[in-house]
Amino acid sequence: MKQIKNILQICILMLGLPACAQQVSLAGEWSFAIDRQDKGVKENWFKKPIKDDVIKLPGSMAENGKGDDVSLTTPWTGTIYDSSYFHFPRLAHYRKPGNIKIPFWLSPVKYYVGAAWYQRKITIPKEWTKKQLLLYLERCHIQSAVWIDDIALGEQNSLVAAHSYQLPAGLKAGEHILTIRIDNRIDNMNVGPDSHSVSDHTQGNWNGIIGQITLEAKPQAYLADVQVYPDVDNKKARVRIAIANTGKKQKGTLTFKVESFNTKTKHTLPQLTVDYKAAAADTTFIDTEIVLGNDMQLWDEFNPALYKLDVALTSGKTRDEKQVSFGMRQVKAEGRYITLNGNKVHLRGDLNNCEFPLTGYPPMDVDGWKRVYAIAKEHGLNHFRFHSWCPPEVAFTAADEVGFYLQPEGPTWPNHGTSLGDGKFIDKYLYEETARIMQAYANHPSFCLFASGNEPAGKNQASFLEKYNVYWKNKDNRHIYTGASVAMSWPLYPESDYMIKSGPRGLNWNTVQPETMSDYAEKTAAFSIPYITHEMGQWCVFPDFKEIKQYTGVMRAKNFELFEADLKAHGMLDQAEDFLKASGKLQAICYKQEIEKSLRTPNSAGFQLLGLQDFPGQGSAIIGVLNALWNEKGYISPAEWRKFCNSTVLLSRIPKFTYTNNEEFKANIEEYHFGAETLKNAKLNWVVKDAAGRVVAKGTLKTLELPKGAVTPAGEIAVALNSITKATQLNLEVTLDGTVITNDWNFWVYPQQLPDVKNNIYFTDVLDAKTEKVLQNGGTVFLNAAGKVVKGKEVVQYFTPVFWNTSWFKMKPPHTLGILADTASAAFNDFPTAYHSDLQWWEIVNKAQVMHLEDFPAGFKPLVQPIDTWFMNRKLALIMEAKVGKGKIIVCSADLFTDANNRVAARQLLYSLKKYMSSKEFNPKDTVDLAALKAIFTTPSKEVWDSFTKENPDELKPLPTKNQ
């Protein structure tokens, strides 16, 4: 046996194609040439050996180190929305050759857009000369053209499915030259330059072939396609066979073998044989039924039972076989809910935007996708939407096996650079690509939902997508359909089974204090079909510069390198990790509050985050609790995330989070349960503890039966707060007895009566001559700067952080990412706080002015420091202390005085600061010139943001200066 194996290996090495195989891989080394002038076709490069270079396939040019270095004139495939990078004098250093650091997206090590040629010798065995020879090219990017010797086989341009070519009949045995031209320009096939199928914002516009490259020998009549249509209600499946026959008419038998896998219980069906007749030189379709009966196993996220179908076509001595897998599942839109096998499903989803920076393209192996799904499931998710792209088959295979719901999309964002329904290229192409998606992937049970793409433009888009929906619903009922995934300003698309819109999302904390009483019911009430929230979240966090080292593949985080260098230039590089963690904690709070609000919403069909992971493009959207490589950032664990995002989540209805000790804390508890089974005898235990873990109160709610597919009220918790005598942070934790299911919420209690603080503090809201005199005489000053700030007035602060990023939206507010508090300072002895924003800070921070400390000493650190957008990295302050002259001062740009009876946290912070300033511990370490302090109230910032160009999207218009 070993000797035979060695002979086979030698056969493969010598001939390229083993005579005994019916399919061979063409992976390996290919001759290669870049066609920069696009002259290869005109000069007949396919007729001569290509000797310029070699490359390994499968792979991309970038992966093989082929292409050009990034420059200011790189012909990007992607819209630049903020061209200020090209004009800011402070960024001139990063525009110089050899030091190009662009902020828009990750930078490829090598980049090329255009035609490239791939060539190799193949050997056709004698046994194959009477067979049909099929060339299979999986994931070409984008357009392919193929020649065998000097015979053109045609051109294809699919972004979603393999390119397949039939070699000429009667090809002689022996050596031949196979030449492939790949062109990754979208000039003549504009799907939208920001579509994630092509854009540099995410995967990058690579050139190459990254999947299987095979040559297969088929009989004259062969199995061209096998489609399985489950009929769960009747416990059977319809199978449609496509027999491609290139010869004379023939007849024979089809044999079907079916058995289950990926399940503990084996289910094998009796073999089924049916006769067929295939028309000459045509494709014949054969339909048959497979009865699964009472032992039928259903597929879902909790029990991803699968079936393997082996089909054999036999005619005389010829035989062809094909194997597919499928799952018995039925997805429907019923009323306001999506159901799977009759059970309500709530989608806890994430957008996958093809962020795979190590390769620049999606995983082409099942394990690579299982890693991504495993991380998503660790975070309580059960669903992916593929934003304006369709993944390869291994993504569906992996999702089938782990139980994960997918929404692939047409490979288009027909908004930036094109439009839908206006007779452009994309109209016809979208139908063609959808057909290819359905043929290639529709057997996979994980493929549950479908949308045409993302946020289209076009005055006729609604009517176009109405017809599109009708066509595909009639064509393939294995999925449910929506016109497109859109935000609120887009029209509704008639004939959609479900809708994805952005209404039920966001936190209205810029006008309303945090609470958990509300939900998004008003946003969804007017609609009668399932409503999935579009692109929820988008809460920003400061960059993690430790991440830079993780980019070891085809991409480099030059954007992060630029942000890090700029932070260093502003004298705050030593605070980078603190900014990350503090902003990360606020980001996690926002995600928790928004997701819980979504889960509380009656009749919600689910949400799609954008995203659990960072989006590396569109100005660098650092919006994930995971980075773009799906690695954790360190400020929230999967277990902590699952408390508020899982198949079973304990929810609260709490009216506010700050109290005085003459009040009663109340919380109504609800249980979101979309698990596999109804929970019987569900008992909820609750406990309120202080920060030291001391129990303030505890109890048990009544035992309930919690039906699956519902949010069930579980009872009220009430705790008198009169035993709390000093400012205290408390935590309510609720746990489902006998399980790991738990959730918790912090709240704060302050004394209703605060004692007077004896002090020599001079309180003022102006830095006038009298204030200067107090400081010159060694006095203590509290300067209330609220509403008086000039230097920093342009920086808008909300309690919530930056949305998406300030570059993509041209510095749309807010501009900050939460606060960093110096908790080592005694200033907070009577104001319990972590080092980051938490809900008690809302009434202090939200819409408060910030001070821009651009004239302050380099090492100066405020007591409370707002974290600026990483595109500006300004040193900001909300509360700061300093020595000025012989005196000491605290300057606070947050209003701590107005409406003290209702703004109890602000009142408490003011009390804590007063006590601190009246104590011996008040001894600021930093000295600040009076002139620098005065400038905050008299002089605008020297460093301000400017878009320089006003177009939307911006045209690339670098100024003609030497700095360019």
Side-chain angles (χ1 to χ4, degrees), residues 252-273:
T253 60
L254 290 167
T255 304
F256 301 84
K257 295 180 181 179
V258 179
E259 65 178 3
S260 66
F261 70 102
N262 205 46
T263 180
K264 293 179 180 178
T265 305
K266 199 73 172 177
H267 182 205
T268 302
L269 274 62
Q271 180 174 299
L272 174 66
T273 300

Side-chain angles (χ1 to χ4, degrees), residues 730-741:
L730 297 177
N731 177 265
L732 168 65
E733 181 180 53
V734 185
T735 303
L736 180 60
D737 192 47
T739 74
V740 297
I741 296 168

Side-chain angles (χ1 to χ4, degrees), residues 278-353:
D282 201 357
T283 299
T284 301
F285 293 94
I286 307 293
D287 289 312
T288 191
E289 283 189 351
I290 295 177
V291 178
L292 289 97
N294 292 331
D295 293 329
M296 177 182 70
Q297 299 187 43
L298 298 177
W299 182 94
D300 65 14
E301 63 184 290
F302 306 107
N303 180 41
L306 295 168
Y307 285 92
K308 179 176 64 176
L309 168 63
D310 285 299
V311 183
L313 178 152
T314 305
S315 178
K317 295 182 179 180
T318 65
R319 181 182 175 88
D320 190 37
E321 296 182 14
K322 197 172 186 67
Q323 184 182 96
V324 299
S325 64
F326 67 96
M328 293 301 294
R329 66 106 182 97
Q330 184 179 55
V331 60
K332 289 184 176 181
E334 298 188 81
R336 303 290 298 278
Y337 280 90
I338 294 168
T339 64
L340 193 82
N341 304 329
N343 296 312
K344 290 180 180 178
V345 171
H346 195 263
L347 296 177
R348 301 178 304 280
D350 182 41
L351 268 61
N352 186 280
N353 307 293

Side-chain angles (χ1 to χ4, degrees), residues 670-745:
E670 298 174 355
E671 184 148 9
Y672 162 98
H673 178 56
F674 282 79
E677 303 292 342
T678 292
L679 296 178
K680 298 182 178 181
N681 301 316
K683 183 172 72 172
L684 297 182
N685 301 319
W686 63 269
V687 61
V688 174
K689 296 180 182 179
D690 64 16
R694 289 185 289 266
V695 174
V696 174
K698 63 180 180 179
T700 299
L701 297 178
K702 63 182 179 180
T703 302
L704 297 170
E705 180 176 288
L706 299 175
K708 62 183 179 180
V711 179
T712 304
E716 184 184 67
I717 295 168
V719 179
L721 302 175
N722 53 10
S723 64
I724 308 298
T725 57
K726 64 177 183 177
T728 304
Q729 176 183 306
L730 297 177
N731 177 265
L732 168 65
E733 181 180 53
V734 185
T735 303
L736 180 60
D737 192 47
T739 74
V740 297
I741 296 168
T742 185
N743 203 357
D744 67 295
W745 301 267

Side-chain angles (χ1 to χ4, degrees), residues 436-451:
R436 288 187 272 262
I437 289 170
M438 297 304 165
Q439 181 175 5
Y441 313 124
N443 284 330
H444 292 278
S446 57
F447 180 177
C448 293
L449 307 95
F450 186 77

Side-chain angles (χ1 to χ4, degrees), residues 37-55:
Q37 285 76 44
D38 200 8
K39 61 184 181 180
V41 174
K42 185 177 180 180
E43 295 182 356
N44 297 326
W45 285 12
F46 51 86
K47 288 186 177 181
K48 55 189 178 183
I50 292 175
K51 298 180 179 180
D52 295 28
D53 202 351
V54 294
I55 196 168

